[in-house]
Amino acid sequence: MALLIACSSRAEQFAAEIRALEPGLNLRIEPNVGQAADIEAALVWQPPPGLLARLPGLRLIVSVGAGVDGLLADPTLPKVPLVRFVDPDLTGRMAEYITLQVLYHQRRMSEFRDLQTQRVWRYLPEPAASDVRVGLMGLGVLGRAAADALRPFGYRLRGWSRTPKTVEGVVSFCGPEGLDAFLAETDILAVLLPLTQETRGLVNRGLLGRLSRHGRSPLLPGPALINAGRGGLQVDRDIVAALQSGELYAASLDVFETEPLPAASPLWQHPRVVVTPHNAAESAPAAIARYALRQWRAYNSGAALDHVVDRTRGY
Ligand code: NAP
Ligand code: GLV
């Protein structure tokens, strides 16, 4: 039996951590697949399309990412259990990222940064957290962790998901029928949805135009968007247009339709846009190695696997 690591980045780091935990394991690192028939499990991030279909003995796929849209886009992906990465390391980092960006917009930091570039010392009134409504799109593992991290500040939390949810301190909306009411009650929108056929392109001009403009936070100059889900959820040019028209005041974007973000994108230079390189929650290799081995041992002992992707839902 062999475990294949097929990752477009950090493959050697994952291998080093796995070797440290299980020195006897027969480990292969793509492109050095060796005898394909030996490989029973694969740890993957952006593997070459079609690669996994060429492994006749494959029984388990472990995704380095929490999001599996890229894997599911490969029509040849073998129909063996696919588990996604869900771990306190990733979840904690994402909760930090969302909290950081929510605070940034609540505390009007894009304006203070702008004033700093002009060497202007100016007071700006700022809303209390309890006057700001944060709308979490996606109330899964990461959306709920973001809610837990934001709650102690006193933000007024709203959440939107496919099915109804009960989360402490969060007013829950669901489905297409709940979307307008959710947006109308949102000052800062934080997107933590998976990319599926239903969610692709959802964060477009029409949606941004429905964000609250008349909320409880008159001190905020306008709505702000945070997207740490997937770039395919948003329409980049619509975000630029909404920023220009004033429908959107500011944004923090970790993901983009094209990654890396092309140098020509106006988002790079926009004074009220924070650009990060899809690193909102880049997990430590040790955590990923531990998780992959735990799932592989569970599979071999016949125990239930955690976080198996539902291929019909697409997440
Ligand atoms: P999750 O636990 O599967 O939660 C997904 C949430 O989205 C659920 O609440 C689900 O609703 C909701 N949802 C899915 N489709 C929907 C739809 N059509 N309409 C409304 N709500 C919908 O996923 P997660 O672990 O929180 O991760 C979310 C995403 O974050 C991942 O898929 C990945 O793309 C992204 N991510 C990004 C980074 C980064 O570094 N930027 C890191 C990790 C993950 P139900 O609960 O009702 O099904
Ligand atoms: C990163 O984007 C992930 O899906 O974990």
Side-chain angles (χ1 to χ4, degrees), residues 66-67 69 84 90 94 138-143 160-163 165 192-195 198-199 228-230 254-255 278-282 313 315:
D69 46 287
R84 65 192 196 93
L90 185 155
M94 184 59 87
L139 275 181
V141 174
L142 300 181
W160 183 73
S161 46
R162 199 175 45 85
T163 55
K165 294 279 177 285
L192 284 170
L193 289 168
L195 180 59
E198 283 74 42
T199 61
R230 278 288 181 272
D254 185 56
V255 289
H278 199 143
N279 70 333
E282 168 130 318
R313 282 188 333 190
Y315 63 99

Side-chain angles (χ1 to χ4, degrees), residues 30-82:
E30 194 273 334
N32 301 314
V33 173
Q35 274 293 339
D38 300 345
I39 293 165
E40 292 186 32
L43 174 65
V44 299
W45 176 251
Q46 300 174 332
L51 169 77
L52 300 177
R54 295 194 293 275
L55 307 175
L58 189 69
R59 292 191 288 141
L60 175 68
I61 305 169
V62 180
S63 166
V64 166
V68 290
D69 46 287
L71 291 170
L72 296 181
D74 178 354
T76 71
L77 191 74
K79 302 256 180 303
V80 300
L82 164 62

Side-chain angles (χ1 to χ4, degrees), residues 126-175:
E126 299 164 47
S130 56
D131 282 333
V132 174
R133 297 162 310 169
V134 179
L136 298 162
M137 275 190 122
L139 275 181
V141 174
L142 300 181
R144 285 196 302 267
D148 290 345
L150 293 168
R151 194 180 302 111
F153 291 95
Y155 292 109
R156 297 159 61 85
L157 301 175
R158 281 89 180 88
W160 183 73
S161 46
R162 199 175 45 85
T163 55
K165 294 279 177 285
T166 305
V167 181
E168 185 197 338
V170 179
V171 181
S172 163
F173 300 83
C174 68

